[in-house]
Amino acid sequence: MVDVTAKAVTVREAVATGLVRCSPEVVAALRDRTVPKGDVLAVARLAGIQATKRTPDLVPLAHPVAVHGVVMDVEVVDDGVALRATVRTAERTGVEMEALTAVAVAGLTVVDMVKALDRLSEITDVRVVAKSGGRSGDWVRGDG
């Protein structure tokens, strides 16, 4: 684990995104809310929020961070389910891992809930698209 004692406490935010690609039949079932396992979007949203708070338990060298806010957006799009996590804190280290964990676990939840309908669904494009705070300042991914 990196020693962050000397770093200043600053407001930090990270945004991560991802996509669960699904068949057109699953997209239709998601829009119609007819997936047999229930409300996929609500469950995935809660899973992402819960995962944010458990990041140090899942990523061995991640610092425990007091998460001050999480917005987990889960939206049906033409080719599947778009995921976006925005995580905010005031700490000595950033929350990129928390945002990525939120997106990854929300994506796993979607796959779990639709796998009976689409065994080929897949999680793609999980990445940090923006961050702010800390010594390195603000950063926005050029292609995202």
Side-chain angles (χ1 to χ4, degrees), residues 9-118:
V9 172
T10 61
V11 174
R12 297 163 186 261
E13 184 175 274
V15 180
T17 60
L19 176 68
V20 179
R21 292 190 194 282
C22 302
S23 68
E25 293 79 21
V26 168
V27 170
L30 289 164
R31 286 188 171 136
D32 296 341
R33 298 179 183 241
T34 58
V35 174
K37 279 196 167 184
D39 188 343
V40 176
L41 304 184
V43 176
R45 181 177 173 273
L46 288 174
I49 292 168
Q50 183 175 1
T52 302
K53 300 187 293 181
R54 293 291 186 198
T55 298
D57 297 332
L58 300 169
V59 181
L61 297 179
H63 288 87
V65 173
V67 173
H68 294 169
V70 181
V71 175
M72 184 73 229
D73 297 313
V74 182
E75 177 186 7
V76 180
V77 294
D78 289 342
D79 55 349
V81 178
L83 308 165
R84 181 181 183 92
T86 303
V87 182
R88 191 171 171 93
T89 190
E91 275 284 355
R92 288 178 161 74
T93 188
V95 284
E96 295 92 344
M97 290 297 99
E98 286 74 10
L100 287 166
T101 301
V103 168
V105 171
L108 289 168
T109 301
V110 172
V111 169
D112 177 59
M113 293 186 75
V114 304
K115 69 184 178 212
L117 304 174
D118 183 1

Side-chain angles (χ1 to χ4, degrees), residues 7 10 12-13 92-94 96 131-140:
K7 286 183 163 187
T10 61
R12 297 163 186 261
E13 184 175 274
R92 288 178 161 74
T93 188
E96 295 92 344
K131 70 171 244 30
S132 63
R135 274 191 305 209
S136 60
D138 296 352
W139 174 83
V140 177

